[in-house]
Amino acid sequence: QVQLVESGGGGVQAGGSLRLSCAASGSFFSINVMGWYRQAPGKQREVVARMTTGGSTNYADSVKGRFTISRDNAKNTVYLQMNSLKPEDTAVYYCAAHGVLSVVGTTNYWGQGTQVTVSS
């Protein structure tokens, strides 16, 4: 089993910044992709940013230039630096680990989610 523990959510005013962290723990060999998704009330979950082990990234158009994803492979931790936050960034943010290789095969995992609220 793999656990993803998120931290760093909270409330901030528009234009402010937050940094999310997500640490993976458990018994596994490697994680292919780590990333962040978000889900606002009444909307579908959407990808925010993802990063491969090799450092390749992709971002949602809505966050390009404002959010930065980074990853510490040695610590199995992924970060999301969120700057110039907007009210429309308000959502529950979920950490994801895709392609987690363990003795049982390859599996995807999700964190429990952390609330980000941006007030105008």
Side-chain angles (χ1 to χ4, degrees):
Q1 272 290 359
V2 175
Q3 296 80 40
L4 300 178
V5 179
E6 301 143 338
S7 60
V12 66
Q13 289 192 328
S17 298
L18 284 173
R19 187 182 191 226
L20 305 182
S21 300
C22 171
S25 63
S27 181
F28 56 92
F29 301 120
S30 63
I31 303 175
N32 184 20
V33 177
M34 295 189 78
W36 294 93
Y37 293 71
R38 68 187 181 187
Q39 187 167 17
K43 295 187 177 182
Q44 290 188 333
R45 189 174 299 189
E46 61 177 2
V47 62
V48 176
R50 293 180 295 198
M51 190 172 195
T52 68
T53 305
S56 297
T57 60
N58 70 286
Y59 293 90
D61 288 343
S62 59
V63 307
K64 285 180 180 177
R66 300 188 298 121
F67 291 10
T68 302
I69 189 170
S70 59
R71 180 173 171 176
D72 186 333
N73 291 327
K75 295 182 179 179
N76 295 309
T77 300
V78 65
Y79 307 93
L80 186 68
Q81 178 66 44
M82 304 185 292
N83 298 329
S84 302
L85 281 160
K86 304 175 181 180
E88 50 264 44
D89 294 319
T90 295
V92 177
Y93 283 69
Y94 296 91
C95 175
H98 301 306
V100 181
L101 181 63
S102 68
V103 292
V104 299
T106 302
T107 315
N108 299 328
Y109 293 91
W110 292 90
Q112 78 283 0
T114 185
Q115 178 69 46
V116 171
T117 302
V118 184
S119 57
S120 58

